[in-house]
Amino acid sequence: MNRSVELVTEVDLPAAPEQVEPWLAGLDAYPAWMGLVHRAVPEPGSNPPAWQVDLRARIGPLARSKRLRMVRGASSDTTALEFERAELDGRSHGRWALRAELHRIDGSTPGTRVRVTLRYDGAHWASGVLERVLHDEIEKSKARLTELVSGGPLPGPTR
């Protein structure tokens, strides 16, 4: 049985949106802070930008994995970064969509509120137990992203 799932989370980060955006704009930065993203490899020369993404979730001794081709979407909202599943094999696949919204927090020190929405369809990835594992991993990723953003800019060239 297929069903749709939507997970939404927010985190306030101690950096301006310009410092946070590189950590969210390219999926190849996600393995550094998002434990679900085991690997994300950019496809050279793809337009729009695309990545081969390996997701992995562990439930005790069992592991579920999934490979997706994700492309960066064009959003009219300048505060949002969007990614959608876009396979090239001509077959019908479950939907996977990620939207990250960045909003400046006004105050004495720069800050950014990030709201991430993950939507996906599927029989195996939408089971109750796995959904709980996904939620727990997303919560853990907030601390890792906060630590990385606090440490300074993303190493390497900006995207």
Side-chain angles (χ1 to χ4, degrees):
M1 173 180 114
N2 283 349
R3 70 181 186 112
S4 295
V5 173
E6 178 177 287
L7 299 172
V8 180
T9 191
E10 287 187 356
V11 62
D12 290 347
L13 299 171
E18 305 79 45
Q19 295 169 292
V20 174
E21 192 264 347
W23 290 100
L24 300 169
L27 293 176
D28 46 320
Y30 282 58
W33 60 271
M34 173 56 78
L36 296 171
V37 181
H38 180 70
R39 188 174 75 101
V41 178
E43 289 183 358
S46 59
N47 188 14
W51 294 261
Q52 288 293 324
V53 179
D54 291 344
L55 304 175
R56 188 171 296 159
R58 187 168 286 289
I59 304 169
L62 304 174
R64 294 282 312 160
S65 62
K66 184 147 195 85
R67 178 167 286 164
L68 308 168
R69 180 179 183 270
M70 300 289 288
V71 298
R72 174 95 177 262
S75 174
S76 59
D77 182 352
T78 59
T79 65
L81 302 161
E82 296 180 353
F83 302 91
E84 286 270 352
R85 183 177 192 179
E87 304 292 349
L88 298 175
D89 61 8
R91 296 181 4 218
S92 177
H93 294 276
R95 178 175 186 233
W96 283 77
L98 176 73
R99 178 181 172 91
E101 300 170 54
L102 287 73
H103 300 283
R104 186 177 303 277
I105 299 172
D106 294 324
S108 58
T109 59
T112 303
R113 175 162 294 134
V114 176
R115 178 183 172 95
V116 176
T117 304
L118 173 64
R119 291 182 181 97
Y120 60 95
D121 299 334
H124 299 296
W125 276 87
S127 71
V129 173
L130 194 51
E131 190 173 323
R132 182 69 209 168
V133 170
L134 290 173
H135 180 270
D136 291 348
E137 183 53 44
I138 288 167
E139 288 301 310
K140 291 177 195 174
S141 71
K142 290 180 187 182
R144 290 190 294 264
L145 182 58
T146 300
E147 184 179 329
L148 287 167
V149 166
S150 299
L154 178 67
T158 57
R159 291 175 213 343

